[in-house]
Amino acid sequence: MSTHADWRLFRGDGRQRETPLPPAPPWRRFGAPTSAPGSAGGPRHLPYLISPEHSDVVSAALHLRRPLLVTGHPGTGKSSLARAIAHELSLGGILHWPVNSRSTVQDALYGYDAIGRLRETSLSRDRGEEEPSIGSFVRLGPLGTSLVPRGRPRVLLVDELDKGDVDLPNDLLTVFEEGEFEIPELARLPEAQAEIEVLTAQSDEQALLVRGRLRCEEFPVVVITSNGERDFPPAFLRRCVRLELPTPDEERLRAIVTAHLGERAVAEVGDLLDTFLRLRATKELATDQLLNAVYLRAGGVDLSAEGLLDAVLHRLGGAV
């Protein structure tokens, strides 16, 4: 535990020091894979709190094999829900598709490196070697990988779909309804190359495609998040199960702090929680900002230092 006198790791005086760094917050620790049964590795699981009525909506989506459209303000746990589902159902690591204004369904399904194939084929011919398989230059994206046939489904997180092109939700409908897609570059190959193994979004996995077509056995667990920046088409909404996560109240915030940082941390949260709730009433704040402040306080950081609390509890919207 640091003291107020020594919490400043960086002093800005230009002097070199071999200053030991304190442990990172639990939600910012990477590297050590989890050994939970059925896991595909990744950071250790963090606690996730959800009310029974909201977990029932998740169960409904699982029963119906329909995408779960999760809305709510930033920091309400939309993206973390996908990881919680994967952990609790032992479905391995999630497949993550972060959507932006340039995202397309094809990119999420697969990518084909035609230039790389042309270069490697030319080099192989010059060396008198066998030409590399076209499958070495096809890699499935997160959406395509989620459709690879397997006994248990994978969890696909489609993050911030509302940031994508206006036509993107409708473009997803065919894939969601049919659970399959075709890669034309492989479908055109001669009969002798009807079966081709391609790379997936998982570095240690390949998928076998017949005539360039991939069809899932179990529809993936699809979690789609949205910050509510725009509306989606009715046809898309009809095919989703909707879940709106509320902004955590004071009781839920205390439970979240306890789950992540323990009982000792929540005992010191009083004034920080009051400040957080007061600021959140006038500007948009996320729950993890409160966790950051509590973690610093528990580590001995003097949050009364000029501007420090404002830097941690900064507003999320508007110009920076």
Side-chain angles (χ1 to χ4, degrees):
M1 182 71 69
S2 302
T3 66
H4 289 334
D6 65 7
W7 67 265
R8 290 184 172 88
L9 304 175
F10 174 75
R11 298 180 181 274
D13 57 10
R15 294 176 52 195
Q16 277 192 317
R17 305 174 181 84
E18 291 189 4
T19 304
L21 296 178
W27 53 91
R28 295 297 299 164
R29 295 173 188 171
F30 305 94
T34 178
S35 58
S39 171
R44 70 180 184 86
H45 175 70
L46 296 173
Y48 188 84
L49 302 181
I50 186 170
S51 67
E53 56 267 31
H54 294 142
S55 63
D56 287 347
V57 176
V58 176
S59 294
L62 294 171
H63 278 284
L64 296 171
R65 304 299 199 273
R66 288 290 187 181
L68 180 68
L69 176 59
V70 187
T71 58
H73 292 298
T76 51
K78 299 186 298 295
S79 300
S80 300
L81 177 58
R83 297 179 177 87
I85 295 171
H87 170 77
E88 189 168 321
L89 301 184
S90 298
L91 297 178
I94 68 167
L95 296 162
H96 187 199
W97 177 22
V99 175
N100 58 50
S101 60
R102 300 177 302 278
S103 297
T104 66
V105 171
Q106 178 173 319
D107 291 339
L109 289 173
Y110 77 98
Y112 172 50
D113 185 5
I115 296 176
R117 184 192 179 200
L118 180 62
R119 181 182 63 249
E120 292 300 321
T121 298
S122 177
L123 291 173
S124 297
R125 287 174 179 172
D126 292 343
R127 294 192 294 258
E129 300 172 353
E130 183 179 355
E131 295 180 11
S133 167
I134 186 176
S136 303
F137 304 96
V138 176
R139 181 178 292 277
L140 302 180
L143 176 57
T145 301
S146 73
L147 298 174
V148 172
R150 50 174 62 86
R152 286 172 64 76
R154 293 292 297 273
V155 176
L156 171 67
L157 171 60
V158 183
D159 217 1
E160 298 190 331
L161 182 62
D162 50 337
K163 292 189 181 300
D165 183 81
V166 66
D167 293 324
L168 187 58
N170 279 334
D171 293 342
L172 281 168
L173 290 181
T174 300
V175 178
F176 284 165
E177 287 302 289
E178 299 182 1
E180 66 177 357
F181 69 99
E182 181 183 82
I183 299 179
E185 292 86 350
L186 302 182
R188 294 193 293 263
L189 294 174
E191 188 63 33
Q193 295 178 287
E195 296 187 354
I196 294 290
E197 283 193 332
V198 301
L199 305 172
T200 73
Q202 304 296 120
S203 58
D204 58 346
E205 179 186 57
Q206 289 187 316
L208 180 66
L209 274 66
V210 179
R211 306 304 312 169
R213 182 164 291 276
L214 191 153
R215 182 178 180 84
C216 68
E217 290 179 1
E218 283 282 346
F219 189 75
V221 177
V222 181
V223 178
I224 303 171
T225 72
S226 169
N227 290 324
E229 295 183 5
R230 64 177 175 81
D231 296 329
F232 295 121
F236 175 79
L237 294 176
R238 180 168 59 85
R239 291 166 171 84
C240 296
V241 174
R242 301 183 64 177
L243 171 63
E244 182 172 359
L245 293 178
T247 300
D249 58 15
E250 180 176 350
E251 181 181 356
R252 179 55 60 92
L253 287 172
R254 289 184 180 276
I256 291 172
V257 171
T258 302
H260 283 83
L261 297 174
E263 293 286 350
R264 292 184 60 184
V266 80
E268 303 179 18
V269 77
D271 62 321
L272 290 178
L273 182 56
D274 291 341
T275 301
F276 178 83
L277 291 171
R278 175 173 53 80
L279 293 175
R280 197 180 68 178
T282 60
K283 63 183 182 180
E284 193 171 38
L285 293 177
T287 304
D288 58 353
Q289 291 175 282
L290 174 63
L291 288 173
N292 291 338
V294 176
Y295 181 80
L296 290 175
R297 168 70 62 79
V301 175
D302 182 10
L303 285 173
S304 63
E306 184 177 357
L308 184 55
L309 188 58
D310 288 340
V312 176
L313 299 181
H314 60 84
R315 64 192 177 106
L316 300 181
V320 177

